[in-house]
Amino acid sequence: MSQRFGSITAALTGQLTFILIVSAVLAFVASYFLLRLYRRAVIKSMARRNLSELLDLKGYLPPAPEHKPHDAPRSFSFVTRDLADTNKRAAVLYRSAIRRRWQTALVHTLAGCVFAAAMAGAFLTAGKMEFSLFRFLFLTWVFGWPIILAIDLAIGIFRRARLSTAIAYFLLGGVIAAVFLAKNPGLPIARLLYLWLGSNAPATLLLVIF
């Protein structure tokens, strides 16, 4: 049982994440150098062939198909906020599109909260920690950071909305951490910062790079 909990603890406390990130970085570097070698080999191979060989047509080339013009040019109707203010049908379409985006964000938020709560429970179980409400909430907040990234990737929110979402996330975490530290005076704040950075910073940097 102790060996089982030891492997789970190693997986949940950053070692597995570190291994995966290092593997991705090494694979990126290896792929870069292999592609450079392949590119150099292709350039050398093409340079060995002279221009006459490239221009010499060999074999039978079928005639190019005739391109017939369209019967009528295609027309596109773009619905903007200005058009929605004057056209009732456009206003309904515009509101529906905006509502669908926020519904998608809500679905990602709920799914991310369930994921974060499950990870927090697994973290407490693997570390054999005593359950407390604010410890669980803080871990859920830590593992909930991918929600912000998923919403940005899913609906492409504006820069102001993205900044507001990140500020709300960190304000909520600050309140939870303050109460948690007040209930545990001997706990250093650096440990909480290390937990958040170790869980989220490497993966976020890797996502930004790609």
Side-chain angles (χ1 to χ4, degrees):
M1 183 64 69
S2 61
Q3 184 178 0
R4 177 175 174 269
F5 271 100
S7 60
I8 296 177
T9 304
L12 294 177
T13 53
Q15 295 186 24
L16 179 60
T17 305
F18 177 75
I19 292 172
L20 291 176
I21 292 175
V22 170
S23 300
V25 173
L26 292 178
F28 174 77
V29 174
S31 302
Y32 174 77
F33 284 107
L34 287 175
L35 287 175
R36 282 187 63 89
L37 291 176
Y38 175 74
R39 179 175 180 272
R40 184 180 301 176
V42 170
I43 292 176
K44 288 183 179 180
S45 176
M46 294 179 65
R48 284 194 294 265
R49 302 180 60 184
N50 55 31
L51 186 60
S52 61
E53 291 179 349
L54 294 175
L55 297 178
D56 186 17
L57 299 179
K58 298 179 181 180
Y60 171 74
L61 294 177
E66 181 182 359
H67 294 282
K68 296 181 179 180
H70 297 289
D71 296 335
R74 296 181 179 180
S75 60
F76 297 93
S77 178
F78 295 96
V79 178
T80 62
R81 183 178 299 177
D82 297 333
L83 182 61
D85 294 336
T86 57
N87 189 307
K88 184 177 180 181
R89 184 178 178 184
V92 173
L93 180 61
Y94 182 80
R95 286 196 297 267
S96 175
I98 295 299
R99 185 170 59 251
R100 290 296 178 88
R101 292 180 64 189
W102 290 111
Q103 288 176 352
T104 303
L106 178 62
V107 170
H108 280 77
T109 301
L110 294 177
C113 289
V114 173
F115 161 79
M119 286 295 296
F123 191 91
L124 291 174
T125 303
K128 298 181 181 180
M129 302 178 186
E130 181 183 357
F131 179 85
S132 68
L133 178 60
F134 283 95
R135 178 182 287 139
F136 177 77
L137 289 177
F138 179 78
L139 290 174
T140 303
W141 173 79
V142 169
F143 293 119
W145 170 248
I147 298 174
I148 309 300
L149 304 178
I151 291 176
D152 184 24
L153 293 175
I155 66 174
I157 56 179
F158 299 107
R159 181 176 300 178
R160 182 180 300 177
R162 188 183 307 147
L163 182 61
S164 301
T165 305
I167 291 175
Y169 170 83
F170 285 111
L171 285 178
L172 177 62
V175 172
I176 296 174
V179 178
F180 184 46
L181 290 173
K183 290 181 174 295
N184 299 271
L187 183 65
I189 189 174
R191 183 176 299 180
L192 301 183
L193 293 175
Y194 176 77
L195 178 62
W196 191 93
L197 291 173
S199 301
N200 297 313
T204 303
L205 291 176
L206 185 65
L207 180 64
V208 171
I209 290 173
F210 283 96

